[in-house]
Structure formats: structure tokens, C-alpha cells
Amino acid sequence: MLGVCAAGLPGVAHAQDFVDQANAAYRDIRRGANGDPGLRSDLMILPVLAKMAPPPRGVESIDKAILRTPTGPLWKPASDWAAAPEQQAVLAEVRRAGVGGDFTRAPAFGQPYGVEALAQRDEDLEFIADGLYTELDVGGTPMLVGAQFKYLEHIRALECLVHVEVTRLEEAGEPTAALELLVAWVNVSRQLGDRAFAEEKLFGFASMSRGVERMRDVAYTDFKGQRKLRGSPEVLASTIAALAEVQDDGKEGYLNTKRFTLPRANLLAAQQAAEMLLGPDGPRGGAFSGTMARLSAKGNPLRMFSEVARWETLAADHAGRSATLESISRVWGDFERRWKLDNLFDPIMSQRFDLMMVPLQQQMLVALTMIPVLPVFDARTTLRVELVGTRHALALVGVYYRNGDFPNDLSGVRPTWLKDTEHDPFNPKPSEPMHYFVPGRNTPTPVHDINVISPRFPNFRKGVKDGDFVLCSVGFDGERDYAREVQNTAERTFDTDYLIWPPVVSLQREEVVRTRQ
């Protein structure tokens, strides 16, 4: 079957040209000599990550690691796991790699794609043996469309470790150290968001969003508990500064979302596939059906024969190379126009993506390679909402600790905590900030009920009492709904807000404890 996949391909050397283009951006990241990683964060983290023990039961997924309370029979094994030297060594490298600061001099995740690039240095071969690399091989040919990000599974386990360590630090009464670790982790996640494939970017964006929400969670847990951050206003201030997209002096912040680019490797993957698998009049027989079957079978040999038959049928109507490349160019041009426009409320954004108008029967290859790019748009929007919201939420907590009460309106965070209030990314009114109110002061009753809608957990209701505040974005529909119903998503929802404070993850944890789920 491997021979079927490789049959008729123009040549490995031609395929490698596209891989080299995908790897070009990583060549300029400084690497030191004699084991010095230089500015390569992958060379800081991956060697120690290879020695990390897998997460134990109860914290083996990111959601579980975030929601795990420091109680019950599953907590001690998780805590002991995080405290072990192998895991602490990884966390030390996260702190080193996540220094942030001037983005032109900060570390970057620079591991190139494919075995060929790693094989050029003997010391990098261990990453292949440990499964800490990106596999591109499809039937003996390096194909970007077949990229398997093996290293990401290890990074997901690392994120579990980060969140368990945050809980350990909270349990030890060290919210400052917990926030500092989260800042470092968000900076490392930013580096993954700068990678060239959509799958990597999506993980990076989502990890950043989870990380900044967890910062609010740490502040909320402390606010409801020992309030140790009351005596450390500089910690809240430095955390807000670390999350700034634009610094007070006008310079770009490390986390500035405007620097994110589209996943260009997906464009190269589409172009490479068209060049390698299509002829002037249509697919190259066994090359097209065999390669596409291998990709859709996802390593399951029992599915290979049925997938080959399916793709042979699809090949009959597929367009040739020139028409497909033209379609790829048109779809990518639409992506670029929307990405650079960077305005949710421009009329263009309400129109269908050009990708949605591609005739699938004739352009299946275009759909297969371009569809993974679509979620990147919503993920960037979600991240922006999380960043803006977290900066304001921490500022409001800071005002409370300094003045003994919450401000009358959101402008009360100026100028001590924020230079100015920021625009709610979901609000169509250009200068409108997020919606802030205090139950009992700004609502008819002293308890404000919120219905929390979650795609991953059962919905639940939560009452927010006076003595706390509510901060929310208007959400997709652009209307203030007083957080009566909240659903934290960039997808199309109506009559729901995007809740920033109280943090949804904090409310979910309280609900898990209450229901003993």
C-alpha cells in the first residue's frame, strides 16, 4: 500500500522544496553552540519534556487539571507528580522560555518540520526517537498536508502539569508565584501561536486563552479566600502589564495579537499537494487516491482499501492542477483580506468565505487543506476578548484592594491600573468598553443569577452576590444582556454574553464541588 501512495509523484526533492519554505522562518532564530539553546525555546523545553512522567489519573486532561481541587484521593498523587524533580525541571524551563519582554529578542519555538531537517544535527535525532517532532512522511514523500504534530501531545501533558502546579502554589498560599508561572506559560503558548500550521496556532491560541482565564481564577480564589494579593498590588500591576498588547510607552507588548499571521504552512500544503498529486487534466491516478486515502485512514491499515476506493471515485471529477492552484490562491486571498481587515463588523465579514463556495466535487483537495484555517479566526477573537477582559478584571480587583470598594464604573481603573479603558472586541460601537456592574448596586436585587452554558459541561445557574462584581463582553450578538445567560464562545450565539468575572472556570469548579461530579 505504501507503494500505491508514492506511485507517480514528481519527486521527493520537489516535495522538499515546499517543506524548506515552511521551515524558512525558523532559520533566523538564534541557536547557540555546545548545547546552548540560544533563543530556541523548543531546545529549552523539549529535552526535559522527554523525561517528564505522564500525568496521573484525575489530571490527565487539561480540563481535569484545571478543575482539580486540592482535596480528595486523586489530589495527592497529582501533587506528588508535579513536585517530582523531573516535572520541576520542565517547569523551570517553561519559566526560562516564557520571559516575554521585547518580542524581537525573546525566545521562539523554532523546531523545523520533518525528519529531514532534524537529521542534519546528531543532537536533534533524539527528538525523533522520543516522538517530539512533526512527522511529514506520506508513503516515503514529505507532504505538508500529512503533518502529524507528535510533539503537541507532550505539550498538552505539559499544560496539565502547569495547571496542577498552579493549584499546588495556591494551596501553599502563593498566588503570586501561581500568577508568575501562568504569565510564563501564556508567553510560551504565544510562541506556539506563532507557528506556521493552523493546528499549532489553534493550540497556542486556546492555551493562551485558558492561561489568562486561569489568572482570573487565581485572583478570584484568592479574593474569596485569604486575599494575599491585597498586600501585593505590584503583583496585579505586573500581571496586567505582562498581558498588555500595547505598553504605556506605545511599544508593542509581547502578547500583541496584531502580530499573529495566518498559518502559511497550510497554504504551502495545499500548493504542494496540487503540484504533487494533480496533472493538467486531473488527479495523477494512484498518486492522488493513494495519498489521500493514507491521510483519511489516519494510520488505520484496515481502512486503507476502502479509502483508496472512495478517493478513486472522487478523482473522476476532480479538477486539474492549474484550476486547483487558482482556487487555492482565491481562497487564500479571501483569508488574507479578512485577516488584515481585522474588523468583526466590516460588511465583508458577514459574507460567506470564498472557501464555502468551492465546488467540493471538483475541488476536494482545496477543501481538505483550507478548512483547518477557518477556526483560527474565531480563536484569535476569543483570545482578544480574554486578554482585554483579564486586564480589566485584575484592575477592578486592584481598585477594590486599594480603596476597599469597587468603582462606580469601569473608568475607575484609570490611570492607576490601566492607562485607559479598552474597547470590547465584540461590541460594534467603536469605543464601548465591557459591561461592568455590581449586584445590589446596579441591579434590582442583591443576588444576580447567571445561567452558564458550556459545550463541555452541564449547564448550571450561579448567583453572584453583592460584595462581588460582574464583568462581561456583549458576546457575538453585540447586545448587553446583563450576563443573564453566558456562553464563552466566538461562535454565533444570541441573547448571551461572554463572562469574564466571575471566571467561568471558577464557577465550574464550585459547581463540580457542589454536585460531587
Side-chain angles (χ1 to χ4, degrees):
M1 192 61 68
L2 293 180
V4 173
C5 296
L9 292 180
V12 173
H14 184 51
Q16 189 63 41
D17 290 343
F18 289 92
V19 177
D20 290 343
Q21 290 182 61
N23 285 332
Y26 306 129
R27 296 193 190 107
D28 295 333
I29 304 172
R30 183 176 66 80
R31 177 176 186 164
N34 302 319
D36 174 15
L39 293 179
R40 288 272 300 271
S41 62
D42 54 304
L43 297 179
M44 301 175 193
I45 293 174
L46 295 184
V48 288
L49 187 56
K51 301 174 184 177
M52 189 181 97
R57 187 169 70 90
V59 294
E60 72 274 19
S61 72
I62 295 170
D63 280 340
K64 287 182 179 180
I66 292 174
L67 294 176
R68 177 62 53 199
T69 59
T71 57
L74 294 179
W75 173 245
K76 189 177 187 307
S79 179
D80 291 346
W81 166 70
E86 294 81 3
Q87 282 66 262
Q88 288 296 311
V90 183
L91 293 170
E93 294 303 324
V94 167
R95 293 182 175 96
R96 178 160 72 130
V99 292
D102 182 351
F103 69 90
T104 64
R105 301 177 181 179
F109 199 95
Q111 187 184 75
Y113 303 111
V115 170
E116 178 71 22
L118 290 177
Q120 295 176 16
R121 287 177 177 261
D122 290 343
E123 60 266 38
D124 290 350
L125 292 175
E126 291 185 8
F127 296 134
I128 300 172
D130 293 328
L132 288 161
Y133 73 109
T134 302
E135 178 62 77
L136 299 179
D137 180 74
V138 179
T141 302
M143 296 289 290
L144 294 169
V145 73
Q148 300 174 53
F149 306 97
K150 295 177 179 291
Y151 78 92
L152 273 184
E153 282 306 309
H154 298 263
I155 298 291
R156 290 187 180 95
L158 171 53
E159 186 177 356
C160 293
L161 172 62
V162 168
H163 287 292
V164 172
E165 181 67 7
V166 166
T167 304
R168 287 183 70 247
L169 292 169
E170 288 182 297
E171 183 187 28
E174 300 181 44
T176 295
L179 288 173
E180 289 171 348
L181 175 58
L182 285 168
V183 167
W185 175 248
V186 168
N187 288 341
V188 170
S189 299
R190 159 84 211 210
Q191 296 162 26
L192 294 171
D194 285 327
R195 296 284 288 177
F197 274 98
E199 186 172 338
E200 296 172 294
K201 284 186 178 293
L202 286 171
F203 176 83
F205 290 179
S207 181
M208 290 177 73
S209 293
R210 288 188 293 264
V212 294
E213 182 183 24
R214 191 74 201 274
M215 292 179 198
R216 302 196 304 273
D217 177 45
V218 169
Y220 177 86
T221 302
D222 181 68
F223 183 77
K224 293 296 185 180
Q226 300 180 32
R227 295 194 173 181
K228 290 204 169 188
L229 292 173
R230 180 199 291 272
S232 304
E234 72 283 356
V235 174
L236 291 172
S238 64
T239 304
I240 293 168
L243 298 180
E245 296 188 66
V246 179
Q247 302 289 352
D248 288 345
D249 59 6
K251 293 181 180 179
E252 281 191 28
Y254 183 76
L255 299 182
N256 192 307
T257 56
K258 291 186 180 296
R259 288 203 315 278
F260 284 123
T261 60
L262 281 169
R264 186 170 178 269
N266 288 76
L267 170 63
L268 292 170
Q271 293 171 334
Q272 181 196 38
E275 291 279 0
M276 299 289 290
L277 304 179
L278 301 176
D281 301 318
R284 296 176 183 268
F288 178 84
S289 58
T291 302
M292 302 306 285
R294 183 178 176 85
L295 295 174
S296 57
K298 297 181 179 179
N300 185 347
L302 298 178
R303 290 181 54 191
M304 279 294 296
F305 287 101
S306 61
E307 289 297 314
V308 167
R310 184 168 72 91
W311 282 104
E312 284 176 346
T313 300
L314 292 170
D317 297 315
H318 204 286
R321 180 172 56 245
S322 295
T324 300
L325 287 170
E326 182 181 336
S327 183
I328 291 168
S329 178
R330 183 172 63 254
V331 167
W332 192 260
D334 181 45
F335 285 165
E336 285 189 319
R337 178 177 55 168
R338 293 168 188 262
W339 191 263
K340 293 175 182 177
L341 188 64
D342 200 20
N343 180 359
L344 287 175
F345 311 105
D346 190 284
I348 290 176
M349 299 303 289
S350 64
Q351 300 173 10
R352 296 173 67 195
F353 279 87
D354 282 6
L355 177 59
M356 299 297 100
M357 294 178 276
V358 169
L360 288 181
Q361 206 164 3
Q362 291 82 35
Q363 300 282 358
M364 181 61 75
L365 188 148
V366 179
L368 184 74
T369 53
M370 293 285 103
I371 282 177
V373 177
L374 290 176
V376 174
F377 287 87
D378 280 353
R380 181 177 65 164
T381 299
T382 297
L383 175 57
R384 283 179 170 164
V385 174
E386 287 285 339
L387 286 167
V388 172
T390 300
R391 290 192 288 266
H392 286 76
L394 296 182
L396 286 165
V397 173
V399 171
Y400 182 90
Y401 283 155
R402 175 163 291 188
N403 300 337
D405 199 2
F406 296 114
N408 291 326
D409 56 55
L410 203 53
S411 65
V413 301
R414 306 179 312 194
T416 303
W417 298 95
L418 288 172
K419 186 176 181 180
D420 204 350
T421 54
E422 301 175 60
H423 170 239
D424 176 355
F426 273 127
N427 200 312
K429 299 176 182 178
S431 59
E432 197 71 18
M434 290 189 168
H435 189 195
Y436 156 75
F437 59 92
V438 178
R441 181 197 297 176
N442 309 112
T443 62
T445 61
V447 179
H448 184 74
D449 286 331
I450 298 176
N451 185 36
V452 181
I453 302 171
S454 171
R456 303 192 309 277
F457 302 95
N459 299 344
F460 61 93
R461 297 190 69 82
K462 184 70 176 181
V464 182
K465 301 178 182 179
D466 54 359
D468 206 343
F469 68 93
V470 176
L471 180 67
C472 59
S473 164
V474 295
F476 178 85
D477 65 0
E479 299 289 338
R480 284 189 171 182
D481 297 302
Y482 276 86
R484 296 182 184 91
E485 286 200 352
V486 297
Q487 186 172 2
N488 285 13
T489 179
E491 296 178 2
R492 290 177 177 269
T493 59
F494 296 92
D495 301 322
T496 62
D497 288 339
Y498 190 114
L499 185 63
I500 297 297
W501 188 282
V504 169
V505 67
S506 306
L507 301 183
Q508 285 174 331
R509 190 184 298 108
E510 291 175 353
E511 184 68 7
V512 167
V513 172
R514 185 187 71 82
T515 59
R516 297 182 180 179
Q517 292 179 338

